[in-house]
Amino acid sequence: MPLQPDQILNYLSNESDTKIKSELIDLLRKRIDELCFEQCQIDRIQCTLTPLCSRRFLNKLRIKSGLGMDDLPGFCYSVHKGVVERYFRNKTVIYRPYDAYLYLIDFLDVFFHGDYRKLNKFITFKKWEETFKIFDDRIQNRDENFDYLLMDNYLIFKFEERMHIIFLDEKYALCNANRESITSLELLYGICKLYAEIYFPEVKLKFIPSKYVEIALMIPHDVLTKISQKPSGNDSKADQYFWNTFWEDLNALTQYCDQINLYEDKNQNLEIILYTSLLTNSYNESGNRLKLRFRDLRLIFNFITRIYTEYYIIWV
């Protein structure tokens, strides 16, 4: 029986001889380079249509490892960038480039072509006034539909339903964030803050470093008093939701929130507080908690948006 992946991982974890571990890793590195530079991109048709690594993830490996453009298979990376651009422009693509990484200048070329050289300089040197002037001009005068938010270490964009993150220190960007894990509480807070500004501005956010992001929303007492004491044949929309769906929603959220608190404030409003960290309450086969992914936030934001738009904003 051939070696299994978990056997190799266990060997690397348990082997104490660093020379042997180094040799094994070097074999892997040589195989990766052979695959990319000698097998895949040499055949440009194959590289374009059926790359030998899934969704070109070996480009991601190199970019996230801090390698420069010269260390990537150039043709493969150019196709990768082209797929991201075609998807951004709603053109046909062979695969949807979720969780795709680009160097900063290439990200700016795709999403802000025409201003990308200026933006690359401004962002590199953190000239935010000049940067935001370009963004705001595009939004206000060129009918471009996107939102953005600057954090200490990230510049976050939302183009329609797609999220993109510039990692400022690393000088690369994550495009169409989906299955990737959220890497820091600062980034998690920034995404929540951006969505709050767009969809639920009166929901309260609190950033507790090294612990969690706290999201507090409210259902007014006026709404609660209009909910029937028990289901009937003439249930209102609110009755149907709070009797049939509300608790199911909260139960689903427990998978992604560390804790959910409900209590009645001094004005008899119902406060709902969600505590969200970088870990979910789901576990892998080894018994470790799974990391929170970008896509996991959709359930949380959909719940908050529903409560805010249907049972809060029209009542205050």
Side-chain angles (χ1 to χ4, degrees):
M1 183 178 73
L3 278 170
Q4 300 300 308
D6 60 336
Q7 294 172 322
I8 298 173
L9 290 173
N10 288 334
Y11 182 82
L12 283 170
S13 299
N14 298 321
E15 176 58 51
S16 58
D17 190 325
T18 55
K19 182 176 184 297
I20 291 176
K21 290 172 70 173
S22 178
E23 285 187 24
L24 181 56
I25 293 171
D26 194 52
L27 286 172
L28 175 62
R29 180 190 61 78
K30 288 178 180 177
R31 175 59 186 139
I32 290 172
D33 285 347
E34 178 186 358
L35 184 78
C36 292
F37 294 99
E38 298 177 23
Q39 288 181 242
C40 188
Q41 75 164 3
I42 294 299
D43 185 340
R44 295 198 166 193
I45 295 177
Q46 174 183 266
C47 185
T48 301
L49 300 178
T50 56
L52 295 180
C53 66
S54 246
R55 298 176 183 268
R56 306 180 195 277
F57 78 88
L58 290 175
N59 284 323
K60 165 185 166 181
L61 169 63
R62 290 183 168 90
I63 292 170
K64 292 190 69 176
S65 299
L67 300 184
M69 186 80 73
D70 293 340
D71 298 307
L72 266 67
F75 177 75
C76 180
Y77 179 73
S78 69
V79 175
H80 173 68
K81 176 184 173 183
V83 172
V84 174
E85 182 170 10
R86 288 184 63 85
Y87 189 60
F88 169 57
R89 303 194 183 284
N90 295 314
K91 295 182 179 180
T92 302
V93 291
I94 296 172
Y95 60 88
R96 295 178 180 179
Y98 293 137
D99 304 316
Y101 282 81
L102 292 175
Y103 290 110
L104 174 60
I105 193 166
D106 293 311
F107 171 83
L108 297 172
D109 186 22
V110 169
F111 292 89
F112 302 101
H113 186 73
D115 293 312
Y116 77 99
R117 294 188 186 278
K118 289 186 290 185
L119 282 171
N120 184 59
K121 181 177 69 174
F122 294 153
I123 292 173
T124 298
F125 293 102
K126 299 186 177 180
K127 295 185 176 181
W128 300 121
E129 183 178 350
E130 294 91 337
T131 299
F132 299 157
K133 184 177 180 181
I134 292 175
F135 290 159
D136 294 342
D137 175 68
R138 283 177 167 262
I139 293 170
Q140 296 165 12
N141 301 319
R142 306 191 210 177
D143 295 325
E144 295 188 15
N145 183 23
F146 67 92
D147 298 276
Y148 66 91
L149 178 70
L150 174 68
M151 303 296 289
D152 287 343
N153 297 295
Y154 309 96
L155 187 53
I156 306 169
F157 296 91
K158 183 177 181 296
F159 284 79
E160 297 180 347
E161 297 306 312
R162 299 169 190 168
M163 181 72 61
H164 315 282
I165 318 291
I166 290 178
F167 293 73
L168 296 173
D169 291 337
E170 293 83 354
K171 301 293 187 299
Y172 60 62
L174 168 61
C175 308
N176 307 307
N178 187 36
R179 293 179 177 271
E180 285 281 278
S181 300
I182 299 174
T183 53
S184 75
L185 280 174
E186 179 198 347
L187 178 55
L188 173 60
Y189 175 66
I191 296 169
C192 292
K193 187 176 179 181
L194 179 59
Y195 269 78
E197 290 178 356
I198 300 169
Y199 298 112
F200 35 86
E202 294 176 75
V203 168
K204 298 176 183 177
L205 299 176
K206 188 182 294 184
F207 178 36
I208 312 298
S210 77
K211 291 186 178 181
Y212 46 73
V213 174
E214 179 183 309
I215 309 172
L217 56 155
M218 182 183 74
I219 301 174
H221 176 66
D222 287 350
V223 174
L224 298 174
T225 57
K226 290 179 171 59
I227 299 172
S228 301
Q229 294 299 309
K230 59 182 180 179
S232 66
N234 298 314
D235 293 337
S236 66
K237 180 180 178 182
D239 288 338
Q240 293 174 12
Y241 177 69
F242 285 102
W243 278 108
N244 301 319
T245 310
F246 177 68
W247 298 107
E248 293 178 2
D249 286 349
L250 288 179
N251 185 57
L253 287 178
T254 60
Q255 182 179 351
Y256 304 113
C257 297
D258 280 5
Q259 185 177 338
I260 301 175
N261 287 350
L262 282 74
Y263 71 94
E264 189 178 90
D265 67 15
K266 62 182 181 180
N267 297 315
Q268 296 183 297
N269 303 311
L270 178 63
E271 292 272 3
I272 306 171
I273 303 179
L274 311 176
Y275 299 89
T276 307
S277 71
L278 300 180
L279 297 174
T280 71
N281 289 313
S282 297
Y283 293 81
N284 61 18
E285 294 178 355
S286 302
N288 299 316
R289 291 172 68 185
L290 297 175
K291 296 179 180 179
L292 186 73
R293 300 174 297 177
F294 289 95
R295 65 186 296 177
D296 298 334
L297 292 177
R298 296 174 192 166
L299 182 67
I300 298 173
F301 292 155
N302 288 343
F303 172 77
I304 297 170
T305 302
R306 182 173 192 175
I307 295 296
Y308 181 76
T309 56
E310 296 184 16
Y311 305 110
Y312 175 78
I313 192 169
I314 61 174
W315 294 89
V316 299

